[in-house]
C-alpha cells in the first residue's frame, strides 16, 4: 500500500517524448540540457522579458527579444550541464535525480564536458550581436555560473547564488536596451533573487531527506520546519522590491494592479506549502511559471 501511494519524485520519466522521438545518441544530451524539463528555461526567460519590456518602455525590439531568448535557453542548458557534472557522484543517491545521464552511467564525464563546451561556444556567439557594455555585464556572470554547483557543499544559500545567476539576464537587458542599469532595475533583479530563493526552497524540500543524508546544504535544511514562514518572507521581499523598483522606473498605475495579483498568487502558494508532501511542493514550484508570466505582463502593463 505504501509503495502504491508514494509518488515517484524522479524528474526523468522513461517513455517520454525524448525516449519516443529522439535517436538514442541524442537522448542523454537532451536531458543534460534539460530540454525535457523546460521549467527552468521559462523561469529564466520571463524575468528577462520583463526587464526588456521595462527598459524598452513597451514591446522590445524583436532582434533583442530573439537574442535574449536564445541566451536564456543556452545559458540555462549550460548551467544544468555544469550542475550535473559537479553532482554526478551525488545524483545517483537522490530520488529525484537518480536517472540523470551522468548519475545513471548513460554517458561519461568526457562527452559531457565536450557538450558543455559546445553550449558555451553557442552562448558566446550571441555576444557578437550585443553592445560592448552588455558583453562586459554578460562576462561578469560566469563566476556565479561555475561556482553555483559547488555551493551546496559549503553554504546553506546555494539558492541565492542561483537566483543571482539565473536572473542576470535582467541586468543585461537594461544594458542592451537602455545603455545603463538604473537603481530600479537592480531592485527588480534583487526581487527576482528573493523570489527564486522562495520557490527554489520549495523545490529543495523535495530533496530534503536525501540532501541531509548526503551532508549537502540548502535553505530547506537551514529553515527546517520554519520553511513556510521563510518562503513567505522571501516572497514578500520579492513583491516589495519589484514594487519599489517599478516605482523608481516610473511604471504606470496598472503596474500596481499587476503587483497585487502577483502578491495574491505568491500568498496562495505559501498557504498551500506542506513540508511533509514533496509532491505538493514540486507542483507549487512549477506554479512559479505563472508568476513569471504575471511579472512580464505586469511590466508591459506598467508601460501603458
Amino acid at each position: 500500500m505504501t509503495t502504491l501511494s508514494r509518488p515517484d519524485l524522479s524528474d526523468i520519466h522513461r517513455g517520454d517524448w525524448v525516449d519516443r522521438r529522439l535517436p538514442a545518441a541524442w537522448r542523454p544530451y537532451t536531458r543534460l540540457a534539460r530540454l525535457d524539463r523546460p521549467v527552468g528555461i521559462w523561469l529564466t526567460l520571463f524575468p528577462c522579458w520583463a526587464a526588456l519590456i521595462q527598459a524598452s518602455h513597451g514591446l522590445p525590439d524583436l532582434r533583442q527579444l530573439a537574442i535574449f531568448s536564445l541566451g536564456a535557453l543556452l545559458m540555462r542548458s549550460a548551467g544544468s550541464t555544469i550542475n550535473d557534472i559537479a553532482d554526478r557522484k551525488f545524483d545517483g543517491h537522490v530520488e529525484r535525480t537518480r536517472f540523470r545521464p551522468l548519475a545513471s552511467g548513460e554517458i561519461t564525464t568526457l562527452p559531457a564536458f565536450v557538450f558543455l563546451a559546445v553550449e558555451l561556444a553557442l552562448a558566446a556567439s550571441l555576444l557578437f550581436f550585443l553592445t560592448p557594455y552588455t558583453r562586459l555585464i554578460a562576462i561578469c556572470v560566469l563566476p556565479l555560473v561555475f561556482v553555483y554547483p559547488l555551493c551546496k557543499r559549503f553554504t546553506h544559500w546555494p539558492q541565492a547564488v542561483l537566483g543571482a545567476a539565473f536572473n542576470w539576464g535582467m541586468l543585461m537587458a537594461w544594458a542592451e536596451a537602455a545603455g545603463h542599469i538604473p537603481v530600479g532595475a537592480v531592485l527588480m533583479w534583487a526581487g527576482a533573487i528573493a523570489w527564486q530563493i522562495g520557490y527554489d526552497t520549495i523545490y529543495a524540500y523535495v530533496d530534503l531527506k536525501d540532501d541531509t543524508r548526503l551532508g549537502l546544504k540548502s535553505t530547506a535544511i537551514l529553515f527546517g520546519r520554519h520553511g513556510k514562514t521563510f518562503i513567505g518572507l522571501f516572497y514578500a521581499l520579492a513583491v516589495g522590491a519589484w514594487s519599489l523598483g517599478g516605482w523608481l522606473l516610473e511604471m504606470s498605475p496598472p503596474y500596481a494592479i499587476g503587483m497585487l495579483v502577483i502578491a495574491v498568487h505568491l500568498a496562495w502558494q505559501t498557504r498551500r506549502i506542506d513540508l511533509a508532501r514533496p509532491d505538493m511542493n514540486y507542483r507549487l514550484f512549477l506554479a512559479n511559471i505563472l508568476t513569471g508570466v504575471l511579472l512580464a505582463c505586469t511590466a508591459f502593463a506598467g508601460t501603458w
Side-chain angles (χ1 to χ4, degrees):
M1 177 67 76
T2 302
T3 304
L4 291 175
S5 61
R6 177 178 172 80
D8 184 356
L9 299 177
S10 172
D11 60 3
I12 291 180
H13 302 286
R14 298 303 181 188
D16 63 2
W17 66 269
V18 175
D19 288 334
R20 294 194 310 270
R21 300 180 182 178
L22 296 183
W26 293 15
R27 294 171 194 166
Y29 302 102
T30 302
R31 298 195 190 281
L32 266 183
R34 304 281 204 277
L35 298 182
D36 58 326
R37 289 152 286 159
V39 55
I41 296 172
W42 293 117
L43 291 174
T44 305
L45 196 54
F46 284 120
C48 189
W49 281 355
L52 269 177
I53 291 167
Q54 288 179 321
S56 303
H57 300 288
L59 291 176
D61 178 78
L62 288 179
R63 175 177 170 276
Q64 291 177 350
L65 193 63
I67 291 170
F68 277 87
S69 297
L70 282 172
L73 169 64
L74 289 169
M75 285 307 298
R76 190 266 180 172
S77 298
S80 299
T81 302
I82 294 169
N83 186 71
D84 280 11
I85 291 172
D87 286 351
R88 63 191 182 280
K89 294 182 180 179
F90 295 111
D91 282 347
H93 303 283
V94 177
E95 183 177 4
R96 182 177 59 84
T97 59
R98 67 192 188 275
F99 293 138
R100 289 183 176 178
L102 285 164
S104 64
E106 195 174 354
I107 59 169
T108 59
T109 308
L110 180 58
F113 270 113
V114 173
F115 182 63
L116 173 61
V118 172
E119 289 176 304
L120 291 175
L122 289 173
S125 69
L126 296 176
L127 296 178
F128 291 104
F129 300 98
L130 302 175
T131 65
Y133 178 48
T134 310
R135 291 175 203 161
L136 177 61
I137 299 298
I139 292 170
C140 290
V141 76
L142 290 178
L144 292 175
V145 173
F146 283 100
V147 78
Y148 161 69
L150 305 176
C151 286
K152 64 182 71 174
R153 293 157 174 79
F154 61 84
T155 177
H156 283 100
W157 294 93
Q159 283 74 22
V161 179
L162 181 62
F166 231 54
N167 297 291
W168 198 263
M170 298 176 75
L171 302 179
M172 291 175 58
W174 272 93
E176 183 66 19
H180 68 290
I181 304 175
V183 174
V186 176
L187 276 170
M188 295 297 297
W189 174 65
I193 295 173
W195 170 48
Q196 181 142 4
I197 292 173
Y199 73 68
D200 214 57
T201 297
I202 296 175
Y203 196 40
Y205 272 102
V206 177
D207 297 337
L208 181 65
K209 291 182 180 179
D210 291 326
D211 284 349
T212 303
R213 175 172 48 83
L214 293 168
L216 300 175
K217 301 178 188 297
S218 72
T219 47
I221 293 172
L222 178 65
F223 300 158
R225 61 188 179 88
H226 302 293
K228 192 168 183 174
T229 299
F230 280 101
I231 290 166
L233 173 62
F234 278 104
Y235 277 169
L237 288 173
V239 173
W242 286 339
S243 299
L244 180 57
W247 177 71
L248 290 174
L249 295 172
E250 300 181 345
M251 294 285 100
S252 62
Y255 184 86
I257 298 173
M259 280 294 116
L260 179 60
V261 174
I262 290 173
V264 170
H265 175 65
L266 293 178
W268 169 82
Q269 282 190 38
T270 304
R271 185 174 179 276
R272 294 280 293 169
I273 292 169
D274 185 343
L275 303 183
R277 289 190 57 191
D279 56 324
M280 170 65 75
N281 296 335
Y282 182 67
R283 289 197 294 272
L284 290 172
F285 164 72
L286 294 178
N288 280 284
I289 296 175
L290 176 57
T291 312
V293 173
L294 291 172
L295 180 62
C297 292
T298 297
F300 181 63
T303 64
W304 294 350

